[in-house]
Short mmCIF file of all heavy atoms in Angstrom, two decimals:
data_model
loop_
_atom_site.label_atom_id
_atom_site.label_comp_id
_atom_site.label_asym_id
_atom_site.label_seq_id
_atom_site.Cartn_x
_atom_site.Cartn_y
_atom_site.Cartn_z
N PRO A 944 6.96 13.49 2.63
CA PRO A 944 8.46 13.34 3.00
C PRO A 944 8.86 14.16 4.25
O PRO A 944 10.01 14.04 4.65
CB PRO A 944 9.07 14.08 1.69
CG PRO A 944 8.05 15.18 1.41
CD PRO A 944 6.68 14.56 1.73
N PHE A 945 7.94 14.94 4.79
CA PHE A 945 8.42 15.79 5.92
C PHE A 945 7.79 15.43 7.31
O PHE A 945 7.91 16.15 8.23
CB PHE A 945 8.07 17.19 5.61
CG PHE A 945 8.65 17.66 4.34
CD1 PHE A 945 7.91 18.19 3.36
CD2 PHE A 945 10.10 17.71 4.16
CE1 PHE A 945 8.50 18.55 2.08
CE2 PHE A 945 10.62 18.20 3.02
CZ PHE A 945 9.77 18.57 1.96
N GLY A 946 7.05 14.24 7.40
CA GLY A 946 6.40 13.96 8.59
C GLY A 946 7.36 13.89 9.82
O GLY A 946 8.48 13.17 9.74
N ILE A 947 7.26 14.70 10.90
CA ILE A 947 8.13 14.74 11.95
C ILE A 947 8.49 13.44 12.64
O ILE A 947 9.61 13.27 13.06
CB ILE A 947 7.61 15.79 13.03
CG1 ILE A 947 7.66 17.17 12.31
CG2 ILE A 947 8.52 15.89 14.25
CD1 ILE A 947 6.94 18.33 13.22
N ILE A 948 7.44 12.71 12.83
CA ILE A 948 7.69 11.39 13.55
C ILE A 948 8.64 10.54 12.80
O ILE A 948 9.48 9.63 13.38
CB ILE A 948 6.33 10.66 13.73
CG1 ILE A 948 5.48 11.41 14.84
CG2 ILE A 948 6.54 9.20 14.13
CD1 ILE A 948 4.06 10.69 14.94
N LEU A 949 8.66 10.60 11.47
CA LEU A 949 9.61 9.81 10.66
C LEU A 949 11.00 10.19 11.02
O LEU A 949 11.88 9.29 11.12
CB LEU A 949 9.35 10.02 9.14
CG LEU A 949 7.97 9.73 8.65
CD1 LEU A 949 7.93 10.22 7.14
CD2 LEU A 949 7.74 8.25 8.80
N PHE A 950 11.31 11.50 11.19
CA PHE A 950 12.64 11.93 11.59
C PHE A 950 12.96 11.61 12.90
O PHE A 950 14.15 11.30 13.35
CB PHE A 950 12.70 13.38 11.40
CG PHE A 950 12.61 13.82 9.86
CD1 PHE A 950 11.34 14.31 9.42
CD2 PHE A 950 13.71 13.81 9.08
CE1 PHE A 950 11.26 14.69 8.06
CE2 PHE A 950 13.66 14.25 7.72
CZ PHE A 950 12.46 14.64 7.22
N VAL A 951 11.98 11.62 13.93
CA VAL A 951 12.25 11.20 15.30
C VAL A 951 12.65 9.70 15.33
O VAL A 951 13.55 9.35 15.99
CB VAL A 951 10.86 11.41 16.11
CG1 VAL A 951 11.11 10.76 17.51
CG2 VAL A 951 10.65 12.90 16.20
N LEU A 952 11.94 8.76 14.54
CA LEU A 952 12.12 7.46 14.45
C LEU A 952 13.60 7.16 13.90
O LEU A 952 14.38 6.29 14.30
CB LEU A 952 11.19 6.68 13.69
CG LEU A 952 9.83 6.65 14.27
CD1 LEU A 952 8.83 5.86 13.37
CD2 LEU A 952 9.79 5.85 15.64
N ASP A 953 13.97 8.07 12.93
CA ASP A 953 15.30 7.98 12.41
C ASP A 953 16.45 8.33 13.45
O ASP A 953 17.54 7.69 13.44
CB ASP A 953 15.46 9.06 11.19
CG ASP A 953 16.82 9.02 10.48
OD1 ASP A 953 17.29 7.90 10.30
OD2 ASP A 953 17.34 10.12 10.31
N LYS A 954 16.10 9.07 14.40
CA LYS A 954 17.05 9.55 15.38
C LYS A 954 17.05 8.49 16.48
O LYS A 954 18.22 8.14 17.08
CB LYS A 954 16.77 10.80 16.00
CG LYS A 954 17.01 11.95 15.04
CD LYS A 954 16.64 13.26 15.72
CE LYS A 954 16.95 14.55 14.78
NZ LYS A 954 16.61 15.85 15.26
N VAL A 955 15.95 7.84 16.88
CA VAL A 955 16.02 6.95 18.10
C VAL A 955 16.17 5.50 17.69
O VAL A 955 16.20 4.67 18.60
CB VAL A 955 14.65 7.08 18.91
CG1 VAL A 955 14.53 8.56 19.41
CG2 VAL A 955 13.41 6.77 18.09
N THR A 956 16.15 5.13 16.32
CA THR A 956 16.44 3.86 15.91
C THR A 956 17.54 3.74 14.92
O THR A 956 17.88 4.87 14.39
CB THR A 956 15.23 3.16 15.26
OG1 THR A 956 14.92 3.79 13.94
CG2 THR A 956 13.91 3.38 16.27
N PRO A 957 18.13 2.64 14.65
CA PRO A 957 19.27 2.54 13.67
C PRO A 957 18.69 2.37 12.21
O PRO A 957 19.55 2.14 11.33
CB PRO A 957 19.99 1.31 14.16
CG PRO A 957 18.99 0.36 14.77
CD PRO A 957 18.00 1.37 15.37
N VAL A 958 17.44 2.55 11.97
CA VAL A 958 16.86 2.33 10.72
C VAL A 958 17.00 3.47 9.85
O VAL A 958 16.71 4.68 10.33
CB VAL A 958 15.45 1.82 10.77
CG1 VAL A 958 14.89 1.44 9.43
CG2 VAL A 958 15.26 0.63 11.77
N ALA A 959 17.35 3.33 8.53
CA ALA A 959 17.52 4.58 7.69
C ALA A 959 16.16 5.16 7.37
O ALA A 959 15.14 4.46 7.35
CB ALA A 959 18.16 4.11 6.35
N LEU A 960 16.37 6.46 7.13
CA LEU A 960 14.92 7.22 6.90
C LEU A 960 14.14 6.84 5.74
O LEU A 960 12.97 6.65 5.79
CB LEU A 960 15.35 8.72 6.77
CG LEU A 960 14.09 9.68 6.52
CD1 LEU A 960 13.23 9.57 7.80
CD2 LEU A 960 14.66 11.14 6.35
N GLU A 961 14.79 6.52 4.71
CA GLU A 961 14.13 6.01 3.47
C GLU A 961 13.37 4.65 3.74
O GLU A 961 12.38 4.41 3.22
CB GLU A 961 15.10 5.91 2.29
CG GLU A 961 16.30 5.00 2.52
CD GLU A 961 17.53 5.78 3.02
OE1 GLU A 961 17.27 6.84 3.72
OE2 GLU A 961 18.61 5.32 2.89
N ASP A 962 14.04 3.82 4.58
CA ASP A 962 13.36 2.51 4.90
C ASP A 962 12.18 2.78 5.87
O ASP A 962 11.19 2.13 5.73
CB ASP A 962 14.27 1.59 5.58
CG ASP A 962 15.43 1.04 4.70
OD1 ASP A 962 15.20 0.96 3.45
OD2 ASP A 962 16.55 0.86 5.11
N ILE A 963 12.31 3.65 6.72
CA ILE A 963 11.22 4.05 7.73
C ILE A 963 9.99 4.49 6.87
O ILE A 963 8.88 4.16 7.18
CB ILE A 963 11.62 5.22 8.76
CG1 ILE A 963 12.71 4.53 9.60
CG2 ILE A 963 10.48 5.64 9.49
CD1 ILE A 963 13.28 5.64 10.59
N MET A 964 10.17 5.25 5.82
CA MET A 964 9.09 5.81 5.08
C MET A 964 8.34 4.65 4.41
O MET A 964 7.08 4.74 4.16
CB MET A 964 9.65 6.72 3.96
CG MET A 964 10.11 8.08 4.56
SD MET A 964 10.73 9.17 3.31
CE MET A 964 11.29 10.66 4.16
N VAL A 965 8.97 3.59 4.06
CA VAL A 965 8.38 2.53 3.38
C VAL A 965 7.72 1.62 4.40
O VAL A 965 6.55 1.12 4.14
CB VAL A 965 9.40 1.73 2.60
CG1 VAL A 965 8.74 0.41 2.01
CG2 VAL A 965 10.09 2.40 1.39
N TYR A 966 8.26 1.41 5.61
CA TYR A 966 7.76 0.47 6.54
C TYR A 966 6.49 0.99 7.22
O TYR A 966 5.61 0.16 7.71
CB TYR A 966 8.73 0.30 7.77
CG TYR A 966 10.12 -0.36 7.28
CD1 TYR A 966 11.23 -0.31 8.05
CD2 TYR A 966 10.07 -1.15 6.17
CE1 TYR A 966 12.40 -0.88 7.59
CE2 TYR A 966 11.36 -1.76 5.72
CZ TYR A 966 12.46 -1.60 6.45
OH TYR A 966 13.60 -2.27 6.05
N VAL A 967 6.21 2.34 7.14
CA VAL A 967 5.00 2.75 7.86
C VAL A 967 3.81 2.74 6.88
O VAL A 967 2.59 2.93 7.53
CB VAL A 967 5.16 4.25 8.31
CG1 VAL A 967 6.15 4.39 9.43
CG2 VAL A 967 5.42 5.16 7.17
N LEU A 968 4.07 2.43 5.61
CA LEU A 968 2.97 2.42 4.67
C LEU A 968 1.79 1.66 4.94
O LEU A 968 0.59 2.04 4.93
CB LEU A 968 3.50 2.19 3.28
CG LEU A 968 4.40 3.21 2.66
CD1 LEU A 968 4.86 2.73 1.36
CD2 LEU A 968 3.66 4.58 2.55
N PRO A 969 1.97 0.37 5.41
CA PRO A 969 0.76 -0.56 5.57
C PRO A 969 -0.03 -0.07 6.80
O PRO A 969 -1.18 -0.38 6.84
CB PRO A 969 1.39 -1.99 6.03
CG PRO A 969 2.74 -1.86 5.47
CD PRO A 969 3.22 -0.40 5.43
N PHE A 970 0.50 0.74 7.76
CA PHE A 970 -0.25 1.15 8.88
C PHE A 970 -1.10 2.49 8.67
O PHE A 970 -1.81 2.88 9.64
CB PHE A 970 0.84 1.44 10.01
CG PHE A 970 1.43 0.25 10.55
CD1 PHE A 970 2.50 -0.35 9.99
CD2 PHE A 970 0.85 -0.34 11.55
CE1 PHE A 970 3.04 -1.55 10.46
CE2 PHE A 970 1.41 -1.64 12.10
CZ PHE A 970 2.53 -2.16 11.51
N TYR A 971 -0.98 2.94 7.40
CA TYR A 971 -1.98 3.93 7.05
C TYR A 971 -3.49 3.28 6.94
O TYR A 971 -4.40 4.03 7.01
CB TYR A 971 -1.70 4.58 5.62
CG TYR A 971 -0.41 5.41 5.64
CD1 TYR A 971 0.60 5.25 4.68
CD2 TYR A 971 -0.12 6.31 6.84
CE1 TYR A 971 1.74 6.05 4.70
CE2 TYR A 971 1.03 7.04 6.78
CZ TYR A 971 1.91 6.85 5.85
OH TYR A 971 3.05 7.71 5.87
N ILE A 972 -3.48 2.04 6.75
CA ILE A 972 -4.83 1.33 6.57
C ILE A 972 -5.72 1.56 7.79
O ILE A 972 -6.73 2.09 7.67
CB ILE A 972 -4.63 -0.11 6.23
CG1 ILE A 972 -3.93 -0.26 4.90
CG2 ILE A 972 -6.12 -0.76 6.21
CD1 ILE A 972 -3.57 -1.79 4.51
N PRO A 973 -5.25 1.17 9.11
CA PRO A 973 -6.09 1.47 10.12
C PRO A 973 -6.38 2.82 10.40
O PRO A 973 -7.30 3.30 10.95
CB PRO A 973 -5.35 0.68 11.33
CG PRO A 973 -3.96 0.67 10.85
CD PRO A 973 -4.01 0.43 9.41
N LEU A 974 -5.31 3.68 10.24
CA LEU A 974 -5.49 5.10 10.49
C LEU A 974 -6.43 5.80 9.67
O LEU A 974 -7.30 6.61 10.16
CB LEU A 974 -4.07 5.91 10.36
CG LEU A 974 -2.88 5.24 11.11
CD1 LEU A 974 -1.62 6.13 10.83
CD2 LEU A 974 -3.15 5.22 12.59
N ILE A 975 -6.43 5.50 8.38
CA ILE A 975 -7.45 6.11 7.46
C ILE A 975 -8.78 5.55 7.69
O ILE A 975 -9.86 6.19 7.65
CB ILE A 975 -6.99 5.86 5.92
CG1 ILE A 975 -5.82 6.62 5.68
CG2 ILE A 975 -8.12 6.36 5.02
CD1 ILE A 975 -5.73 8.12 5.84
N ALA A 976 -8.81 4.20 8.00
CA ALA A 976 -10.24 3.53 8.18
C ALA A 976 -10.85 4.22 9.53
O ALA A 976 -12.01 4.53 9.44
CB ALA A 976 -9.96 2.05 8.59
N VAL A 977 -10.14 4.49 10.60
CA VAL A 977 -10.73 5.11 11.76
C VAL A 977 -11.02 6.56 11.45
O VAL A 977 -12.21 7.05 11.79
CB VAL A 977 -9.79 5.18 12.89
CG1 VAL A 977 -10.21 5.88 14.15
CG2 VAL A 977 -9.57 3.64 13.39
#
């Protein structure tokens, strides 16, 4: 819940923070894989 980039994206885009937390989930796949 406290990832700093999530809060940065909340400030520089019009997307709500709770939506941002959901939208980044699929991208853990390549990150964890590497």
